Amino acid sequence: MSNVIAAATVSLDGFVADTEDAVGPLFDWYNNGPVEVFGTDRGRPFHVSQASAEYMDTTWSGVRACVIGRHLFDITNGWNGIPAFGEHVFVVTHTPPTDWPFPDAPFTFVNGIEEAIAQAKQYAGDHDVSITGGNLTGQALAAGLVDEIAYSVVPVVFGTGKRFFGDYVGPQVLLDNPTVVQGDRVTHLHYKVSR
């Protein structure tokens, strides 16, 4: 059975982007090391520290399906039809695009977070499902749909911006002790949600 992993790179104060959707130094660690790693797009290499590479290989290799929101889909143009990692992307939206130039890409547009995660889990089978940080993560957490949290912390304080858990309103959620991996200019914290 697949696990749902809420994942993103965040500032020390929990933001995934500033108020204008810019990530600033949050993604610098993707290109500050000697080890080349890839997600799904073989034309988009990352160069990270050995520790980050091992962490990425371990976590990314288990992901078969991703769930993202329409906002991330729009600002990345759906990565031009190639998932960042995994094989298939489920986009939560009330209004699927009608003019996207990649109609045969492995993207499915779904109305609602619960339905998107259900479809992603069915697609993933025994592999994992990744859900990207933001309002979607808050909604999934509130609905009890998140099994793990992959929180890659960069040493910067944004002060304001888009939060990893969006506008989460819900019960207190306890997590198990994290697995901690120290990269270069990033600390990977991987938690299981206590059940």
Side-chain angles (χ1 to χ4, degrees):
M1 182 174 196
S2 59
N3 284 318
V4 176
I5 305 169
T9 297
V10 298
S11 65
L12 188 60
D13 51 348
F15 294 102
V16 295
D18 67 18
T19 56
E20 304 300 316
D21 293 317
V23 295
L26 290 181
F27 286 3
D28 289 355
W29 69 273
Y30 281 123
N31 288 297
N32 71 353
V35 182
E36 188 172 71
V37 295
F38 293 88
T40 302
D41 186 348
R42 300 303 294 175
R44 191 175 4 166
F46 301 97
H47 297 91
V48 299
S49 68
Q50 183 66 43
S52 288
E54 290 172 7
Y55 175 75
M56 292 164 75
D57 284 343
T58 300
T59 55
W60 287 11
S61 64
V63 173
R64 188 162 184 223
C66 299
V67 177
I68 67 170
R70 177 61 190 266
H71 185 69
L72 180 60
F73 172 83
D74 285 343
I75 63 176
T76 63
N77 192 35
W79 303 285
N80 296 323
I82 302 172
F85 57 96
E87 297 174 13
H88 199 95
V89 178
F90 294 84
V91 182
V92 179
T93 180
H94 298 296
T95 54
T98 56
D99 58 350
W100 193 44
F102 308 101
D104 297 329
F107 285 68
T108 300
F109 299 92
V110 183
N111 187 355
I113 185 65
E114 293 185 17
E115 182 61 26
I117 289 179
Q119 287 188 31
K121 287 179 80 165
Q122 182 176 9
Y123 181 90
D126 291 337
H127 292 84
D128 293 327
V129 172
S130 173
I131 180 169
T132 302
N135 281 329
L136 226 49
T137 293
Q139 292 170 27
L141 194 65
L145 300 173
V146 175
D147 301 304
E148 300 178 23
I149 295 173
Y151 204 71
S152 294
V153 183
V154 171
V156 62
V157 175
F158 271 27
T160 187
K162 310 278 175 94
R163 296 188 178 280
F164 178 85
F165 294 106
D167 299 324
Y168 176 73
V169 176
Q172 197 174 72
V173 177
L174 293 177
L175 309 172
D176 292 346
N177 287 331
T179 299
V180 180
V181 176
Q182 181 60 58
D184 183 7
R185 302 293 297 163
V186 64
T187 303
H188 307 284
L189 303 173
H190 201 107
Y191 299 90
K192 290 188 184 298
V193 175
S194 297
R195 298 285 185 212

